Amino acid sequence: MATGDGGAGAAGGRAALRWSLPQRRRLVTKVPGPRSEALQARRAAAVAPGVSSSSPVFVAEASGAVVLDVDGNSLIDLGSGIAVVGVGHASPQVVDRAAGQLRRFTHTCFMVTPYEAYVAVCEQLNELSPGTFEKRSALFNSGAEAVENAVKIARRATGRQAVVVLEHAYHGRTNLTMALTSKNMPYKDGFGPFAPEVYRVPTSYPFRDPEGMTGRQAAERATSLVESEVGASRVACVVVEPIQGEGGFVVPAKGFLPALADWCRSSGALLVADEIQTGLARTGDWFACEDEEVVPDLLTTAKALAGGLPLAAVTGRAEVMDRVHPGGLGGTYGGNPVACEAALGALSTMRELDLPAAARRIGALTGEWLRKMQASNAAVGDVRGRGAMWAIELVRPGTKEPDAGAARAVASACLAEGVVVLTCGSFGNVVRLLPPLVIDEALLAEGLDVLSSAVAAAG
Ligand SMILES: *Cc1c(COP(=O)(O)O)cnc(C)c1O
């Protein structure tokens, strides 16, 4: 255990992973410590302030579910670099495969001289993603790029232009994906004009929808607007996050996604599931849309795909993907061989350790803790999530009025005690948890205990 053996963690202790850092929380200075503060000063002089960080702590090393900062503090990471290192920081198979590839070759460009790892990643995504039909995949560098390409493919395949998105959606920061994203500040403010032919309709947000509104009714509210204001026959695709990520971990009411899928089918529009945050074991299934057996036409993945290296994908029905002419998709670095090898390492770790099951165990434990916090604290307006993707929405007690200040206070109190948590939400009032799926259950409980105290103090 002293070497940080994964032990009987959430991953069940099967093929226990060996981590280079002890899997524990240990503070040796205040957080941030003096070295982080010195780097913070250098950063302020050198780095564009538009790129900001939620925690003022600089990292020296990270392993499993622990981040070691430059002052020697070991922090419990309940954010996974925004759902990226589901397989743990510096996960052994990711590191080994990427390192091996680095020595063989770093880049040839798949569009010039191809290599096997790219094909193997596509094969695995085609196999793992929902739907028994024939599929194809294409690889890119970032989530935003994958979403842009899904829209390109949908427009080309349908011959239509309109793209329908939901309130509270987040799809990225490029020009088209800014247009698809809902929240103005900080993502869009002053960055327009935005891409045309993007139409936003209400989502299903049970905590804020009229009492008793069902998923089907929420879908009807959305699709009737599309029919009257856009025209069903003009819609190329409806892009949805099965559980909204940056928008606040909004879990739609049951029936919402299946009803949207039905509407797409009857309107000739394609359903694009943006599973960049929810996909690849995070929610307890390989993909979050499996929860209600929704089968999208196109599916985007990124974050967890390569265990920390930049890689993204669009996976979809062969008859849709095959409508794009050769050369219509691609990019210099898309499907870089080092990132592809890392992805093969990450995917094999997810399978070997059965990380969907680990996510379900994390969810059972986390949900119980968060409901206890809600029962004892009127500032916790809502608790929601699935698998290893959970959040609390903070409000002014006795109301549904968002309290962003409380969410910020909770996140910084957690950091001061050595636990990294993230905030999100259209109103900035949601504290979200995205632990690595390999986290030891005792370490997770310790992190949740720190969170409980922080929430109690904020309330
Ligand atoms: C993070 C995210 C994106 C954008 O991914 P980048 O790699 O940051 O471009 C798109 N969609 C969802 C749902 C995301 O969570």
Side-chain angles (χ1 to χ4, degrees), residues 349-372:
T349 303
M350 291 174 204
R351 289 179 200 263
E352 282 173 19
L353 299 181
D354 193 359
L355 291 189
R360 291 194 291 275
R361 281 193 293 276
I362 289 171
L365 188 82
T366 307
E368 200 179 305
W369 272 86
L370 298 184
R371 286 198 195 92
K372 263 190 264 160

Side-chain angles (χ1 to χ4, degrees), residues 179-446:
L180 303 180
T181 289
S182 186
K183 189 176 180 178
N184 177 54
M185 199 58 159
Y187 306 124
K188 302 166 75 164
D189 197 66
F191 298 143
F194 303 113
E197 288 303 321
V198 173
Y199 301 92
R200 189 173 313 286
V201 292
T203 186
S204 164
Y205 191 157
F207 179 60
R208 296 191 176 277
D209 281 342
E211 190 84 29
M213 179 178 251
T214 65
R216 292 239 155 225
Q217 287 166 339
E220 165 73 24
R221 175 175 64 180
T223 54
S224 64
L225 271 175
V226 175
E227 283 170 8
S228 63
E229 296 181 9
V230 187
S233 64
R234 289 218 303 118
V235 179
C237 57
V238 177
V239 184
V240 297
E241 297 157 88
I243 296 176
Q244 292 183 315
E246 304 306 299
F249 278 30
V250 181
V251 185
K254 291 269 183 239
F256 178 71
L257 293 173
L260 279 188
D262 288 346
W263 183 87
C264 285
R265 207 168 302 119
S266 65
S267 311
L270 301 180
L271 179 68
V272 179
D274 180 349
E275 293 244 18
I276 287 168
Q277 191 153 162
T278 51
L280 296 163
R282 173 58 54 186
T283 62
D285 288 303
W286 280 101
F287 293 96
C289 27
E290 290 169 54
D291 186 60
E292 293 189 82
E293 286 164 33
V294 167
V295 178
D297 302 292
L298 295 170
L299 176 139
T300 56
T301 47
K303 293 189 164 88
L305 178 57
L309 275 82
L311 188 67
V314 179
T315 299
R317 289 180 188 274
E319 74 248 34
V320 172
M321 300 293 281
D322 291 353
R323 293 291 294 275
V324 180
H325 47 280
L329 306 175
T332 307
Y333 293 111
N336 167 273
V338 181
C340 285
E341 286 289 341
L344 295 174
L347 291 165
S348 120
T349 303
M350 291 174 204
R351 289 179 200 263
E352 282 173 19
L353 299 181
D354 193 359
L355 291 189
R360 291 194 291 275
R361 281 193 293 276
I362 289 171
L365 188 82
T366 307
E368 200 179 305
W369 272 86
L370 298 184
R371 286 198 195 92
K372 263 190 264 160
M373 287 179 214
Q374 184 179 30
S376 62
N377 195 320
V380 181
D382 194 27
V383 167
R384 54 184 181 248
R386 193 188 305 149
M389 181 168 184
W390 277 87
I392 52 176
E393 175 157 0
L394 297 172
V395 293
R396 294 195 201 289
T399 72
K400 290 193 174 182
E401 212 184 302
D403 191 347
R408 278 193 303 272
V410 166
S412 54
C414 286
L415 186 69
E417 290 299 320
V419 178
V420 177
V421 300
L422 307 173
T423 61
C424 65
S426 291
F427 318 111
N429 64 326
V430 176
V431 177
R432 59 171 156 169
L433 303 175
L434 291 161
L437 306 180
V438 294
I439 192 169
D440 190 270
E441 280 186 16
L443 196 67
L444 174 62
E446 188 178 334

